[in-house]
């Protein structure tokens, strides 16, 4: 409201614009967090996978920047909408992003996360690739085991 007033000095308006921009970013983050946090029964709806991944990346945008992780997205613009539960997919995407972030941070304090979507025939392929150390060969067979983790006690369950 102060921005709309004519008698506010320009240097104050510049600071007010910063406050408004920051407030809008906070509101957007809260909106995404609320969408993510809603615990509901799985509901399959038409879902834009590219948009869902982008929104999930925005949830971690600040943290990724502060730990020097560059995010590269290569989204197929022709990717069709899919029938899926967006909440469950977002949780999977967030787990992949956080795990990649932690691996790169631990390995070399920085990194690049590349997220790719692609349609091949009737199939949709998603790729989350980081330049961290990778998964040890002996751990691959346990990859889909619930609660399996290579993290130290207190650092998570592998489902972070």
């Amino acid at each position: 409201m102060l921005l709309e007033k004519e008698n506010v000095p320009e240097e104050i308006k510049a600071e007010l614009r910063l406050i408004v921009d920051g407030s809008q970013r906070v509101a957007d983050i809260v909106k995404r967090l609320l969408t993510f946090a809603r615990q509901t029964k799985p509901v399959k709806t038409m879902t834009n996978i590219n948009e869902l991944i982008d929104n999930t990346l925005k949830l971690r945008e600040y943290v990724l920047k502060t730990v020097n992780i560059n995010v590269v997205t290569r989204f197929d613009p022709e990717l069709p909408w899919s029938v899926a539960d967006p909440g469950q997919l977002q949780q999977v995407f967030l787990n992949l992003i956080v795990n990649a972030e932690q691996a790169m941070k631990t390995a070399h304090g920085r990194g690049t996360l590349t997220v790719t979507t692609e349609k091949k025939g009737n199939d949709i392929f998603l790729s989350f690739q980081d330049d961290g150390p990778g998964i040890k060969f002996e751990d691959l067979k346990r990859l889909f085991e619930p609660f399996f983790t290579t993290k130290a006690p207190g650092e998570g369950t592998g489902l972070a």
Side-chain angles (χ1 to χ4, degrees), residues 86-159:
Q88 287 184 338
L89 279 181
Q90 187 173 46
Q91 185 173 357
V92 170
F93 299 156
L94 187 60
N95 291 343
L96 291 169
I97 293 164
V98 169
N99 286 341
E101 169 196 318
Q102 291 172 344
M104 291 183 285
K105 182 179 165 185
T106 301
H108 42 261
R110 59 176 172 67
T112 300
L113 172 63
T114 304
V115 184
T116 306
T117 63
E118 183 179 15
K119 182 178 184 298
K120 291 182 184 178
N122 291 327
D123 297 320
I124 293 175
F125 290 85
L126 311 176
S127 170
F128 288 73
Q129 183 177 6
D130 64 70
D131 59 0
I135 301 170
K136 292 179 185 174
F137 180 77
E138 59 268 17
D139 292 334
L140 287 175
K141 63 182 175 276
R142 299 186 67 195
L143 198 59
F144 295 102
E145 188 178 306
F147 303 107
F148 169 72
T149 184
T150 58
K151 296 176 185 175
E155 288 186 23
T157 62
L159 301 175

Side-chain angles (χ1 to χ4, degrees), residues 66-77:
T66 61
V67 295
N68 299 311
I69 294 175
N70 181 43
V71 177
V72 176
T73 55
R74 296 185 180 130
F75 293 157
D76 182 343

